[in-house]
Amino acid sequence: MRLGERASGGIDVIFRGRGISRGLARGEVLKFVEPFSFLGGVDPKSGELRVGKGNLRDHVFVFPCGKGSTVGSYVIYDLKVNGNLPAAIINSTVETIVATGAVISGVPLVDSVDIDLLRDGDSVTVNGGTGEVILEGVVMQRTATCFLRYGGEILMLKRSDKVGSFQGKWAGVSGYIEDGETARETAIREVFEEVGMSGITLSAPVRRMIREDDNIWCVEAFLAEAPTREVDLDWEHTDHLWVEAGKVRDMDTVPGLLDILDQLL
Amino acid sequence: MYLTRHEEALLAGEEGFGCQRAMELLVALGKIYDADRLIPIVSAHLSGVSYKTMGEGGLLFLKELSGDARVTVPTTLNPAGMDLQRWRGMGVDANFAAKQIEIITCYSHMGVETTCTCTPYVIGNLPGIGEHVAWAESSALSFINSAVGAMTNREGGPGALAAAIVGATPEYGLHLKENRAATIVIEVGDIREIFDLSLLGQAVGPIVGGGIPYFRGIHPELEGMKLLAAAMAASGSVAMFHVEGLTPESDEQVLDGLEAISIGRRELDVAKESLQTADEPELIALGCPHLTVKEVRELAKMLEGKQRVKDVEVWFCTSRSVRDECTKEVEVLERFGKVVCDTCMVVAPIEDQYSVTGTNSAKACNYLPTLCSQKVVCASARELLEGLM
């Protein structure tokens, strides 16, 4: 991903997916979170979804993948005949039925895009030729996170109400990546500032993007063995706990944390 | 994906809209399945023929495509939604018939052979060993991969049509020798009649899924292969199988280390019970896949001189070619029911007239409840027909 030109209230983010069906279109996202069958899933006469809510017409229809009868390809064509085609389709992983329907109906289709980063009402431009999806008006937040481990337990910190985001949630050591800084440097700096530890060795990073309101958090996360159980908290946190990895899921954590921690461990 | 200069030209629309759409579709499918290139095909077989399954969208797509696109290899068609000549006798309404005939006209205009059958391999569309084709119709494509040794993926209707127009298909999956190896061994015991092969397919499909079974202990002829292929493609998504000592690629299989399972009478009974949802059929339909000449002759022999007592509608579904070849036998069969051509019980709108169908086809038993809202009696042809005498 790279940053595009500035737009009002945020920037444009470009995702590089795989172009499956050609064409260029812009529209508002209508998202369906489960595998979708066009046969039975939408009324071609009106464009109204029969499962879930909304109308496909002129929307960028986002769903993980197609399923069901191969007749679904012709249902997409039926939408075209009735003037109810979606502007474009974005899938996580496309399969034959949806690809066929999109191609024969001339709907731009891109797959291999992380659809968790898109939500209803987003303005997006889809280029089915290049595979580019441009998401307009979001704020990119680049952060680094470090999970400290001591005796098999993970250090969790409770975010104070003085910090700018996710107040009251449990998180690892984390902070914004400042200009001219690498994620590694941020992690080491934040560990020293937030819990007073130094001399740590960071693991290989896990990278994740997480959508939250109009922000996209680009998180680069590391694991490190802590030299001590002694924690010296700064103003950013109100509490700390050393927790067995399996118990982290019982805590009220910041978005995406469990997934990232799973990967690091 | 690498495209030849000619293919690039098609994609650029230099030979018209229909060819361009066809190329776009092949390129999209090639991308999805990581094909390096297109390979020439020697024939195609298309599904997506019945107005019942294609609907208005399908018809309009064909109309648009048939404006300037023509098939470039011999291409045959799957069954339609009615007997194209005797649809009134089947109780098909006039509007449906008009739409169905429009669909056939579009295909005919594109140069497709319009003998509508799911057994194109017995009416002249028979590729050779190692030849690449693009076939839809799950039972037929499994038959030619397995029994014949031709090479095709499990195509959808539009993908097969696009391949027929371009004369090529993306090279992936079963077009590559290394993807045609057996994945599981099935040891079969106690096959007593040909109906058991349909049940065998029903039992094996869910276990194998999209894998490639290697059968031991069966010796099917063409008709048995046909039923086995059809049942496994419907209950699972099997596109190819091997039969020890019989199918052309069976000798090359390396079976060491493969999982092996046994199927016997108990499993066949369970398969039959899983399909059966009623006892008294309103319609008895045989010929899924379409009856061959041999099957028509055997049925005629069974029914010759017999009196029909019960009044139940009976359909013998076959291709027009087979019907034309068996005029004497057809006379015998028509004393018991209709010898229906171009269509079958699954793709015809039988739900407008019947609610319980009896058949010997495990494939039909899989689709009748969902596509035709039918309850199903699953039994051998002999059991079903003797119930009428």
Side-chain angles (χ1 to χ4, degrees):
Chain A
M1 195 181 68
R2 71 177 168 82
L3 306 185
E5 49 193 82
R6 300 216 160 247
S8 59
I11 57 170
D12 294 351
V13 177
I14 302 178
F15 303 107
R16 297 201 182 281
R18 190 169 62 152
I20 299 292
S21 173
R22 295 195 285 193
L24 183 69
R26 181 173 180 274
E28 264 187 25
V29 166
L30 175 67
K31 187 168 164 182
F32 190 74
V33 295
E34 288 165 36
F36 184 79
S37 168
F38 275 87
L39 182 67
V42 59
D43 173 17
K45 295 273 184 294
S46 66
E48 283 292 319
L49 290 182
R50 287 185 177 134
V51 293
K53 278 198 180 125
N55 192 302
L56 291 188
R57 187 173 48 218
D58 299 332
H59 279 91
V60 173
F61 188 35
V62 176
F63 56 102
C65 61
K67 66 164 187 179
S69 166
T70 52
V71 178
S73 304
Y74 294 129
V75 174
I76 298 178
Y77 197 87
D78 216 355
L79 286 165
K80 171 183 163 153
V81 172
N82 287 291
N84 294 321
L85 274 185
I89 295 173
I90 300 173
N91 282 168
S92 308
T93 312
V94 73
E95 48 60 70
T96 310
I97 302 165
V98 174
T100 299
V103 170
I104 67 176
S105 311
V107 182
L109 168 63
V110 169
D111 87 333
S112 305
V113 168
D114 181 357
I115 66 167
D116 286 343
L117 299 178
L118 299 173
R119 53 179 51 196
D120 279 333
D122 279 347
S123 287
V124 297
T125 301
V126 178
N127 186 333
T130 61
E132 277 184 351
V133 173
I134 303 172
L135 170 60
E136 297 170 14
V138 288
V139 180
M140 293 288 296
Q141 309 279 13
R142 295 179 62 232
T143 65
T145 286
C146 182
F147 292 98
L148 292 162
R149 182 164 61 182
Y150 190 90
E153 292 182 327
I154 304 293
L155 178 61
M156 297 293 289
L157 304 175
K158 189 172 188 184
R159 296 172 66 79
S160 82
D161 55 11
K162 299 189 187 81
V163 297
S165 59
F166 305 116
Q167 294 100 336
K169 302 266 186 194
W170 290 89
V173 173
S174 55
Y176 291 105
I177 300 173
E178 291 175 0
D179 284 346
E181 202 176 39
T182 67
R184 264 175 197 282
E185 288 163 354
T186 306
I188 287 167
R189 174 175 58 74
E190 291 286 345
V191 165
F192 181 71
E193 288 175 8
E194 294 187 355
V195 297
M197 295 181 200
S198 55
I200 56 168
T201 305
L202 300 176
S203 68
V206 165
R207 295 189 181 87
R208 269 286 181 293
M209 285 197 282
I210 296 150
R211 180 70 187 270
E212 180 259 341
D213 297 331
D214 286 337
N215 297 309
I216 289 183
W217 297 87
C218 296
V219 181
E220 198 157 332
F222 305 90
L223 184 67
E225 300 300 330
T228 168
R229 277 179 75 90
E230 299 283 311
V231 174
D232 181 13
L233 289 184
D234 73 349
W235 61 273
E236 290 175 71
H237 300 99
T238 57
D239 201 357
H240 79 276
L241 276 176
W242 288 97
V243 188
E244 280 176 44
K247 300 240 168 95
V248 174
R249 63 185 62 255
D250 300 332
M251 306 175 80
D252 182 17
T253 52
V254 297
L257 180 141
L258 292 175
D259 185 31
I260 291 171
L261 190 56
D262 268 358
Q263 273 236 283
L264 279 170
L265 296 173
Chain B
M1 186 161 66
Y2 168 79
L3 296 180
T4 63
R5 195 174 294 175
H6 174 62
E7 288 160 358
E8 290 282 7
L10 292 180
L11 192 60
E14 288 175 22
E15 292 187 29
F17 170 82
C19 289
Q20 185 177 25
R21 268 290 139 85
M23 265 310 290
E24 283 174 354
L25 185 50
L26 296 183
V27 168
L29 295 173
K31 268 190 195 174
I32 294 173
Y33 297 106
D34 278 333
D36 293 332
R37 57 173 185 161
L38 300 181
I39 40 165
I41 55 168
V42 300
S43 79
H45 178 74
L46 312 180
S47 64
V49 184
S50 170
Y51 180 66
K52 175 173 144 176
T53 55
M54 292 194 74
E56 202 59 18
L59 169 57
L60 292 165
F61 162 66
L62 281 182
K63 273 190 178 170
E64 183 181 52
L65 203 65
S66 62
D68 59 11
R70 301 289 175 270
V71 300
T72 58
V73 295
T75 302
T76 46
L77 272 192
N78 235 17
M82 61 187 200
D83 188 311
L84 295 174
Q85 293 176 10
R86 303 198 305 165
W87 53 269
R88 282 184 189 83
M90 293 174 67
V92 171
D93 84 62
N95 178 54
F96 183 96
K99 299 284 190 187
Q100 183 62 72
I101 287 165
E102 272 192 83
I103 289 173
I104 301 297
T105 307
C106 286
Y107 280 124
S108 174
H109 196 63
M110 284 189 273
V112 177
E113 167 67 46
T114 57
T115 306
C116 298
T117 182
C118 47
T119 56
Y121 44 86
V122 300
I123 64 149
N125 187 353
L126 183 61
I129 292 183
E131 288 190 320
H132 296 279
V133 297
W135 282 29
E137 170 46 37
S138 60
S139 73
L141 69 89
S142 177
F143 180 92
I144 54 147
N145 269 328
S146 313
V148 178
M151 301 167 103
T152 180
N153 282 316
R154 199 175 150 98
E155 297 287 350
L161 177 55
I165 290 168
V166 173
T169 193
E171 185 182 42
Y172 68 93
L174 294 175
H175 290 290
L176 300 168
K177 194 78 183 166
E178 65 264 30
N179 297 326
R180 296 170 67 86
T183 58
I184 183 169
V185 177
I186 315 282
E187 307 271 2
V188 187
D190 205 13
I191 293 291
R192 298 171 192 170
E193 54 176 335
I194 192 163
F195 175 55
D196 288 341
L197 289 170
S198 202
L199 297 178
L200 173 63
Q202 177 66 26
V204 168
I207 297 168
V208 176
I212 301 180
Y214 180 99
F215 288 98
R216 278 196 183 122
I218 59 171
H219 313 280
E221 296 180 10
L222 183 149
E223 286 73 15
M225 293 274 196
K226 176 190 81 163
L227 291 169
L228 180 61
M232 283 193 291
S235 67
S237 53
V238 176
M240 176 158 190
F241 59 93
H242 303 283
V243 179
E244 189 165 71
L246 214 52
T247 55
E249 290 163 72
S250 62
D251 294 350
E252 310 159 18
Q253 300 308 309
V254 179
L255 305 175
D256 296 344
L258 289 187
E259 182 191 356
I261 59 164
S262 296
I263 302 279
R265 184 52 45 187
R266 198 165 58 90
E267 287 76 17
L268 300 182
D269 287 343
V270 169
K272 181 168 183 258
E273 275 164 34
S274 73
L275 295 171
Q276 179 105 358
T277 52
D279 300 313
E280 288 293 321
E282 298 165 8
L283 168 69
I284 292 172
L286 307 175
C288 168
H290 275 170
L291 297 170
T292 62
V293 168
K294 185 177 171 205
E295 287 172 314
V296 167
R297 290 194 173 136
E298 282 172 358
L299 285 167
K301 209 167 147 194
M302 187 199 306
L303 296 174
E304 178 84 67
K306 297 280 172 25
Q307 282 303 312
R308 175 179 149 149
V309 181
K310 250 185 170 173
D311 187 27
V312 172
E313 178 82 358
V314 180
W315 288 2
F316 303 96
C317 302
T318 189
S319 59
R320 195 160 296 282
S321 317
V322 169
R323 183 191 162 101
D324 290 348
E325 202 178 324
C326 302
T327 41
K328 263 195 202 152
E329 290 84 357
V330 165
E331 272 176 37
V332 176
L333 297 187
E334 294 230 308
R335 287 206 296 274
F336 273 76
K338 300 186 175 84
V339 177
V340 170
C341 298
D342 319 313
T343 188
C344 75
M345 60 293 227
V346 175
V347 293
I350 61 167
E351 59 277 17
D352 298 346
Q353 302 175 70
Y354 310 104
S355 57
V356 183
T357 297
T359 182
N360 60 345
S361 162
K363 169 177 174 163
C365 291
N366 278 280
Y367 290 127
L368 284 167
T370 49
L371 290 178
C372 312
S373 313
Q374 298 293 295
K375 290 197 166 177
V376 169
V377 182
C378 178
S380 70
R382 180 172 295 278
E383 286 174 282
L384 287 166
L385 293 172
E386 280 178 349
L388 301 179
M389 298 176 201

